[in-house]
């Protein structure tokens, strides 16, 4: 007999089924018991006789053969009258360190992360990663439909000249190397190398000394880079298109999971584009909030999101026209003292930095100098601009960040299978 | 006017088109010239007047507006009579360091890799990565159709106890960490955590002191792990199914690229499963080749491939029943002194190691001791087996290795965008 998934039981023609999964819950009565069997696709109730019940413990893996019986009180209206149960994976514990079958996890997040191989089993936690997988699927499908190629670029790099956050060092044979904080240089070079439009879904590393709800030191970055653009608006159009595609995709593929988190995604997302200076003015006039020069802080992100929610009924806002000094040296200036770059804020959290990049060799070389750096330090990256680089730009989305904002979670660690931060490197 | 890709020109209804791309080739005549424009999708001939030709150099990026004209001598039977050309990305070179428009790359591989941002532009090189992208697509689609979930697991890990190859160390804040040589422990834990069937496409790191045609220190690993199996044959069935799916997928999606490399993929792949001891005997009897104890060396891989090609007309062979001492401590023993593990050899190169894993806590603990290790060193990994781990197994395929074997390339570096080896960490 072939193993069947729980979600397929109801529609199955035969009465007898073979199921495999974990013992989710046990309820004992005088002569028999209920065992909830949980597999990858759902939970179903088994009716088990006293004898078979004896050896069972929560979270064991079992296989059960039985016949379908209708029971309106059971989950899904169906239960399985079990003929035989076989234990496939034994348990060795006195007490489960955290409960799996509670609707809400009562454990502290740190405890959940300590026992990640158990907490991930809880349907509510598992659902986060189902949604996350569909976010990456939507990203990939959307970009492929738009002529993008998926690429894999190195994470071990020779120098850390992109600027910005701190880098982790790697002992690479005889010399010191670094972990890439983003595929920025490489995705640009791939555009120039004839791939034109590329994306990468891969790890990025930031040795930042921040241990907050929104920082991870290893995270998954959804990176896109696109050649032959007119300006940064093409990139914002691309990302806005993605957000709409994503929401529509999630509604189709994650109905159950979105309901679990009581999430109602918009049917259409139109994202206002507000120049940073204007945003500063709004924050000051409306909320008395002063912003740091050329940027917006965490409080500002929350307030500007409040503003666009009230004004445009949207959870998203592009902040544009960041000043030159506040952006990396490869950012395209707009000729008015600012850059052709943007951030995307989603429900009070920055999830994207993007923009148009400089594509002319001489201009890039001069800009590097203007920033006080030495062009020689940019070796092959700068060299690659000698050979006909098209106008281009791109963006990156932090996967854990967009996941928690979609599901209204509180901490990026909830959206990382095995998060890495300043204090955590296990499990 | 909207930009059009070269591949769409022929079927386009209007006569006037806007194209963007690189200057692939220039041929000057007395009054006019031909410019081959290369974009992501192909090459097309532009007919350009003397004046417009003047500023053009090889590999510049341009946009051209013109009208379609039939010309049987041109590539694809069509050329574009150009009205206007605009330079989008200038060049700054005296001489191209390596040619892009030659059919065969005349440059040495090391030179190609030094100038990767140029060599990748050559259609013949670009094709390798088109095929590689479709290999990952096939892997993903095949597994998703079989109820697998895509996962992302950490590459920064706390301890290097998996055994086997050497590890790179990372300076992680106050302590020493490592780069994961495979997602082995994590993919197993994800199976146990209720995901049942998982796969990951991600980087793996090996600090091996080998600088050969088949070694990379950073490579892309196609990892799969599957719960609720009967034994290792389920895993080999899964991989054999993938190879067949892959070949069929590549024939559909990479016709042009396979032709470029003169590759004819089999319609059906049946992979013989030969116990290692039997393979040793075949090698000795047929080729006078002695093998190392409990393994097969590079020469043996080539000879056993020759044998299965001649005997079964196949490029693949599973070697099975490796002895316990030659496999990692988590490998399931078969009760006869060997393990439920296998290697997959493809055209003389090992591309996969796989097998069934131990899923019982006590058995794993005892096996760790038998191997002379301390169970305490396996911390959370061993702990995760206390909570009902299903019978499971998996395999991993080296992406660069399978790519070069499919296309009959000579060196794994040819199938890595920016390879990392003992001597190379740039570009």
């Amino acid at each position: 007999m072939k193993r069947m998934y729980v979600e397929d039981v109801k529609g199955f023609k035969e009465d007898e089924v073979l199921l495999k999964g974990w013992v989710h819950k046990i309820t004992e009565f005088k002569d028999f018991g209920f065992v909830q069997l949980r597999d990858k696709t759902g939970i179903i109730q088994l009716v088990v006789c006293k004898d078979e019940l004896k050896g069972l413990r929560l979270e064991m893996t079992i296989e059960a053969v039985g016949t379908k019986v209708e029971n309106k009180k059971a989950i899904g209206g169906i239960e399985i009258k079990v003929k035989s149960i076989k234990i496939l994976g034994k348990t060795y514990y006195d007490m489960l360190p955290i409960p799996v079958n509670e609707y809400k996890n009562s454990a502290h997040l740190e405890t959940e992360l300590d026992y990640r191989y158990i907490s991930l089993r809880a349907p509510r936690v598992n659902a986060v990663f189902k949604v996350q997988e569909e976010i990456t699927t939507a990203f990939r499908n959307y970009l492929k439909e738009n002529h993008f190629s998926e690429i894999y670029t190195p994470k071990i790099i020779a120098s850390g000249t992109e600027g910005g956050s701190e880098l982790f060092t790697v002992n690479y044979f005889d010399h010191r190397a670094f972990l890439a904080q983003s595929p920025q240089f490489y995705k640009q070079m791939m555009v120039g190398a004839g791939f034109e439009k590329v994306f990468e879904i891969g790890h990025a590393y930031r040795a930042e000394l921040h241990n907050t709800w929104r920082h991870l030191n290893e995270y998954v970055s959804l990176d896109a880079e696109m050649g032959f653009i007119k300006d940064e608006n093409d990139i914002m159009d691309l990302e806005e298109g993605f957000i709409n595609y994503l929401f529509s995709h999630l509604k189709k593929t994650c109905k159950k999971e979105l309901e679990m988190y009581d999430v109602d995604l918009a049917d259409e997302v139109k994202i206002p584009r507000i120049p940073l200076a204007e945003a500063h003015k709004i924050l000051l006039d409306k909320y008395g909030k002063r912003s740091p020069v050329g940027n917006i802080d965490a409080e500002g992100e929350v307030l500007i999101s409040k503003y666009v929610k009230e004004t445009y009924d949207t959870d998203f806002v592009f902040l544009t026209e960041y000043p030159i000094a506040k952006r990396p040296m490869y950012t395209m200036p707009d000729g008015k003292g600012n850059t052709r770059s943007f951030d995307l804020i989603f429900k009070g959290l920055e999830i994207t930095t993007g923009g148009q990049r400089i594509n002319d060799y001489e201009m890039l070389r001069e800009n590097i100098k203007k920033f006080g750096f030495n062009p020689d330090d940019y070796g092959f990256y700068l060299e690659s601009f000698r050979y006909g680089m098209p106008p281009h730009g791109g963006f990156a989305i932090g996967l854990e960040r967009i996941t928690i904002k979609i599901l209204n979670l509180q901490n990026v660690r909830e959206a990382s299978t095995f998060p890495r931060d300043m204090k955590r490197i296990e499990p």
Side-chain angles (χ1 to χ4, degrees), chain A:
Chain A
M1 202 168 14
K2 223 180 137 213
R3 179 253 176 119
M4 158 163 301
Y5 286 102
V6 166
E7 67 177 6
D8 298 327
V9 168
K10 207 165 181 177
F12 189 55
K13 286 173 193 167
E14 312 281 320
D15 278 342
E16 193 166 88
V17 293
L18 166 64
L19 298 166
K20 299 186 183 190
W22 285 261
V23 174
H24 187 64
K25 204 168 191 170
I26 304 174
T27 320
E28 282 190 70
F29 299 103
K30 192 160 168 276
D31 300 320
F32 71 105
F34 289 140
V35 170
Q36 287 187 6
L37 176 140
R38 183 187 76 243
D39 74 10
K40 186 180 174 121
T41 68
I43 294 171
I44 199 163
Q45 180 161 292
L46 312 180
V47 187
V48 181
C49 72
K50 202 80 190 172
D51 268 3
E52 297 270 29
L53 211 60
K54 218 176 285 171
L56 298 186
R57 298 196 67 196
L58 290 180
E59 294 308 313
M60 273 183 169
T61 49
I62 56 169
E63 72 172 51
V65 175
T67 48
K68 280 161 61 176
V69 182
E70 280 192 35
N71 176 356
K72 279 183 190 161
K73 285 189 209 159
I75 319 167
I78 273 197
E79 61 185 19
I80 306 295
K81 239 180 123 56
V82 166
K83 285 186 183 161
S84 68
I85 283 191
K86 194 172 141 193
I87 294 169
L88 299 175
K90 285 194 273 184
T91 51
Y92 298 82
Y93 65 80
D94 292 327
M95 225 182 90
L96 278 177
I98 48 173
V100 175
N101 61 17
E102 290 181 2
Y103 179 66
K104 278 215 167 193
N105 289 308
S106 50
H108 188 274
L109 179 58
E110 288 301 314
T111 314
E112 269 196 32
L113 296 178
D114 287 342
Y115 294 99
R116 202 52 164 161
Y117 42 87
I118 303 175
S119 61
L120 284 168
R121 300 179 180 198
R124 210 167 184 277
V125 178
N126 205 287
V128 174
F129 296 94
K130 162 71 175 163
V131 171
Q132 185 165 79
E133 184 182 0
E134 294 303 337
I135 293 172
T136 64
T137 301
F139 187 73
R140 178 176 290 113
N141 292 355
Y142 171 73
L143 291 174
K144 285 201 173 192
E145 286 173 20
N146 284 284
H147 272 95
F148 280 72
S149 302
E150 185 160 16
I151 57 170
Y152 298 91
T153 68
K155 302 309 160 204
I156 297 183
I157 57 172
S159 58
T161 36
E162 193 192 324
S165 311
E166 293 88 346
L167 292 155
F168 289 113
T169 55
V170 180
N171 306 306
Y172 192 81
F173 300 112
D174 293 336
H175 34 274
R176 197 171 72 139
F178 303 91
L179 291 180
Q181 62 182 284
S182 93
Q184 183 63 36
F185 287 5
Y186 289 94
K187 67 180 182 171
Q188 288 186 257
M189 287 192 290
M190 293 296 281
V191 165
F195 290 73
E196 292 195 23
K197 298 175 171 187
V198 298
F199 70 96
E200 180 165 12
I201 301 176
H203 283 98
Y205 302 91
R206 309 252 162 138
E208 291 174 319
L209 294 166
H210 296 300
N211 210 26
T212 78
W213 65 272
R214 56 196 213 152
H215 286 94
L216 286 170
N217 297 103
E218 177 182 56
Y219 68 99
V220 176
S221 182
L222 307 176
D223 264 276
E225 196 78 12
M226 178 178 176
F228 298 109
I229 61 170
K230 194 173 157 283
D231 57 34
E232 77 279 20
N233 283 296
D234 285 350
I235 306 298
M236 284 188 273
D237 291 348
L238 181 74
E239 186 165 13
E240 189 168 330
F242 165 62
I243 297 293
N244 280 281
Y245 185 99
L246 171 65
F247 279 17
S248 150
H249 179 83
L250 291 181
K251 282 190 211 187
K252 274 180 271 179
T253 55
C254 297
K255 204 166 173 294
K256 193 170 75 178
E257 290 75 14
L258 294 176
E259 275 169 14
M260 221 184 251
Y261 280 89
D262 204 13
V263 170
D264 191 17
L265 298 174
D267 288 323
E268 198 192 350
V269 179
K270 282 192 178 176
I271 309 183
R273 300 174 189 189
I274 303 179
L276 185 67
E278 198 182 314
H280 280 178
K281 200 171 170 308
I282 291 166
L283 291 175
L284 189 62
D285 291 354
K286 235 181 128 61
Y287 306 104
K289 160 77 187 169
R290 288 182 187 282
S291 294
V293 176
N295 211 337
I296 183 170
D297 59 17
E299 192 194 14
E301 289 176 3
V302 171
L303 290 172
I304 198 72
S305 286
K306 187 171 148 65
Y307 169 78
V308 295
K309 186 73 186 174
E310 287 166 9
T311 315
Y312 303 100
D313 191 27
T314 177
D315 292 324
F316 294 89
V317 55
F318 282 121
L319 299 183
T320 64
E321 299 180 24
Y322 279 77
I324 290 172
K326 294 290 170 180
R327 291 299 197 173
M329 54 73 198
Y330 52 76
T331 315
M332 181 66 94
D334 68 355
K336 295 175 285 182
N338 291 320
T339 59
R340 299 197 171 280
S341 70
F342 62 87
D343 275 5
L344 178 61
I345 318 285
F346 177 26
K347 292 184 187 169
L349 179 66
E350 178 216 305
I351 59 163
T352 283
T353 293
Q356 184 176 359
R357 333 293 188 185
I358 294 172
N359 68 303
D360 183 80
Y361 171 78
E362 278 298 349
M363 186 177 182
L364 181 58
R365 197 182 160 81
E366 287 311 306
N367 220 45
I368 289 171
K369 284 194 220 158
K370 269 187 213 155
F371 270 69
F373 304 135
N374 183 354
D376 295 344
D377 291 342
Y378 289 85
F380 64 86
Y381 172 66
L382 180 57
E383 282 304 297
S384 74
F385 285 77
R386 288 181 182 271
Y387 306 97
M389 185 68 92
H392 67 283
F395 67 89
I397 301 175
L399 178 59
E400 296 82 359
R401 285 191 170 195
I402 194 171
T403 307
I404 66 164
K405 281 297 160 181
I406 284 174
L407 294 176
N408 301 316
L409 304 175
Q410 303 305 313
N411 193 309
V412 283
R413 288 159 187 77
E414 294 177 73
S416 174
T417 49
F418 296 92
R420 295 292 179 253
D421 63 34
M422 284 181 67
K423 296 197 172 151
R424 177 178 295 281
I425 193 174
E426 282 188 321

